[in-house]
Amino acid sequence: METIIQEVTGKKQMNAFLDFPYALYKGNPYNIPKLRFDEAATLNPAKNPAFDFCESKYWVAYQNGKVVGRVAAIYNKKYVETWKNNYLRFGWIDFIEDIEVPRALLKAVEGCAKELGCTAVHGPLGFTDLDYEGMLIEGFQETGTMATIYNYPYYPVMMEQLGYGKAVDWVEYRINVPEVFPENITKIANLVEKRYKLHVVPMTSTKHLKPYASAVFKLVNETYAELYGVVALTQRQIDYYVKMYFSMIRVDFITLIANEANQLVGFGLSMPSLSKALQKANGSLFPFGFIHLLKALKKNTEADLLLIGIDKSLQGKGVNAIVLREFHKNYAKAGVKVIESNPELEENKKVQSIWDHFPARQHKRRRCFIKHL
């Protein structure tokens, strides 16, 4: 069957681009539908400050007039400058089980890459490291999270058939919260706190968090700078993320660590799992989607780890233990029994070694694919 590729140039095509995954994954018990308005904002140059240094194109694939696939191409100029790799990213890739569809979609991406003089195409990646990245290659019968991509098992098979290989992998863990926190980690946390004159910032509402919000993302820039494909967030992006996410976050799921001068030197961000609520909402806040989300934020037995960052001067000195101690204390109060680690680069053994102290299993793996042109 002939596959026709159309570049998104208007509202009708963008609606087709945004709507396709809801149809493709309808009834799938493992997929977590994204909020449609959030997806639309991310892809919109008028709203997403990443377009200060990014360019993008979007395509939709059709067969017999029916949408059968989609893909985005992203040229991140700051990535090219920072990493000295003239690579084009692809993301938001979805397709039916017909290899001619991803073949046509990726041919469009590769054509764009050649026009820009790029030497490779890699993805799935977003505009920034805080966007969705990595195609699922293991764990297809595990429920996803709000921060990750779910895809069918045929996706990575077809990617390899089309000449795409491994760039990097991320792994994910599902961790049971122990009733009793490991004594050795408690001792380390208490010792480190005293030795380096650190303290946990007391917070009872988001008004206590907001003065530190910008510092959190600046520490993200420092902590994550050397990870695959990461580009430092600009102040406009930091302001965007603070406004978008920090108003709805629960402060008892966040740990901020400051030094004696009250400067932020470490943080741990987590939140109640929204997976089941997002499945019920199915991409929309209205008429009832927001109710499911509010309920999940207030009462939940599961949580998602989002980000942990430690000032470089204190890395490797046990500050992580303070974050874990505080997480455990707050999870116990909130009734959380299970946490999802979300993606960690497979070579990041320091982070993964943390889970050796807890009942945990590595249950998912996802991959950034690359094809050199």
Side-chain angles (χ1 to χ4, degrees):
M1 190 178 298
E2 184 184 12
T3 302
I4 297 173
I5 302 296
Q6 289 186 7
E7 184 177 346
V8 173
T9 57
K11 186 175 180 180
K12 183 178 179 181
Q13 291 162 322
M14 178 52 78
N15 284 337
F17 185 97
L18 292 168
D19 291 342
F20 177 62
Y22 300 107
L24 184 65
Y25 289 96
K26 185 178 180 180
N28 185 290
Y30 311 112
N31 177 57
I32 306 303
K34 311 307 179 190
L35 288 172
R36 193 182 186 280
F37 82 91
D38 193 31
E39 291 284 85
T42 300
L43 298 169
N44 188 341
K47 294 186 177 181
N48 186 350
F51 280 93
D52 289 348
F53 51 87
C54 290
E55 299 173 3
S56 68
K57 287 187 177 182
Y58 314 119
W59 292 274
V60 179
Y62 295 87
Q63 288 181 349
N64 284 342
K66 182 181 178 181
V67 178
V68 292
R70 67 171 190 169
V71 73
I74 300 165
Y75 190 60
N76 187 320
K77 299 170 189 174
K78 281 188 68 176
Y79 167 80
V80 174
E81 293 167 5
T82 302
W83 291 86
K84 311 303 179 188
N85 291 330
N86 195 13
Y87 294 174
L88 184 70
R89 301 177 171 204
F90 70 86
W92 284 268
I93 185 167
D94 288 293
F95 46 86
I96 64 169
E97 194 170 2
D98 177 350
I99 196 168
E100 295 309 316
V101 178
R103 188 192 306 278
L105 289 167
L106 289 167
K107 183 178 179 182
V109 174
E110 291 163 15
C112 180
K114 290 173 183 176
E115 288 177 9
L116 291 167
C118 296
T119 58
V121 169
H122 63 157
L125 295 167
F127 296 90
T128 78
D129 192 52
L130 298 183
D131 291 329
Y132 308 113
E133 55 189 14
M135 184 176 287
L136 194 66
I137 63 171
E138 294 175 9
F140 300 104
Q141 293 183 317
E142 302 282 352
T143 304
T145 69
M146 68 172 291
T148 58
I149 297 167
Y150 181 81
N151 54 263
Y152 288 119
Y154 62 80
Y155 277 41
V157 174
M158 291 183 180
M159 293 299 297
E160 291 183 354
Q161 290 172 348
L162 293 170
Y164 284 77
K166 174 183 175 180
V168 293
D169 280 4
W170 293 268
V171 292
E172 298 173 50
Y173 290 80
R174 188 167 175 84
I175 306 127
N176 293 321
V177 178
E179 290 188 14
V180 179
F181 191 68
E183 187 178 350
N184 61 325
I185 299 181
T186 300
K187 287 181 178 178
I188 293 170
N190 295 342
L191 178 65
V192 169
E193 213 168 28
K194 186 177 180 180
R195 177 178 293 171
Y196 298 106
K197 298 179 181 178
L198 307 177
H199 65 274
V200 175
V201 177
M203 295 185 294
T204 57
S205 71
T206 53
K207 72 178 182 180
H208 299 127
L209 170 63
K210 285 183 178 178
Y212 293 93
S214 194
V216 166
F217 284 105
K218 287 177 181 176
L219 204 50
V220 167
N221 280 343
E222 177 187 317
T223 305
Y224 291 77
E226 297 175 7
L227 299 184
Y228 184 85
V230 171
V231 175
L233 299 170
T234 65
Q235 188 59 51
R236 274 206 347 120
Q237 288 178 289
I238 291 172
D239 294 341
Y240 176 78
Y241 287 122
V242 170
K243 183 179 179 181
M244 181 176 290
Y245 297 118
F246 274 47
S247 59
M248 63 173 282
I249 209 157
R250 272 183 61 169
V251 294
D252 56 331
F253 279 62
I254 295 174
T255 296
L256 301 182
I257 302 167
N259 59 21
E260 59 182 338
N262 216 35
Q263 297 168 324
L264 190 73
V265 296
F267 68 85
L269 304 183
S270 71
M271 67 184 299
S273 171
L274 298 183
S275 294
K276 293 177 182 177
L278 286 168
Q279 286 180 326
K280 293 175 182 177
N282 195 34
S284 178
L285 288 179
F286 302 101
F288 304 116
F290 75 97
I291 297 175
H292 299 306
L293 295 175
L294 287 174
K295 285 182 177 178
L297 285 169
K298 287 181 179 179
K299 189 174 182 181
N300 212 314
T301 59
E302 297 193 11
D304 287 350
L305 293 180
L306 301 176
L307 296 168
I308 293 178
I310 307 297
D311 187 275
K312 282 192 173 181
S313 66
L314 291 170
Q315 287 179 8
K317 295 182 179 178
V319 180
N320 277 347
I322 303 174
V323 176
L324 295 174
R325 183 195 67 194
E326 295 302 303
F327 273 166
H328 183 269
K329 181 173 68 177
N330 293 327
Y331 290 159
K333 288 180 183 177
V336 172
K337 304 296 182 184
V338 180
I339 56 178
E340 289 273 350
S341 73
N342 281 309
E344 305 165 352
L345 281 169
E346 65 174 342
E347 64 262 29
N348 194 347
K349 302 302 182 185
K350 286 183 179 179
V351 172
Q352 290 156 40
S353 65
I354 293 172
W355 312 130
D356 293 341
H357 301 280
F358 301 94
R361 65 185 177 95
Q362 189 252 301
H363 64 318
K364 298 175 198 166
R365 179 180 291 267
R366 58 188 65 250
R367 177 162 295 170
C368 175
F369 286 91
I370 190 167
K371 181 178 181 180
H372 293 277
L373 304 176

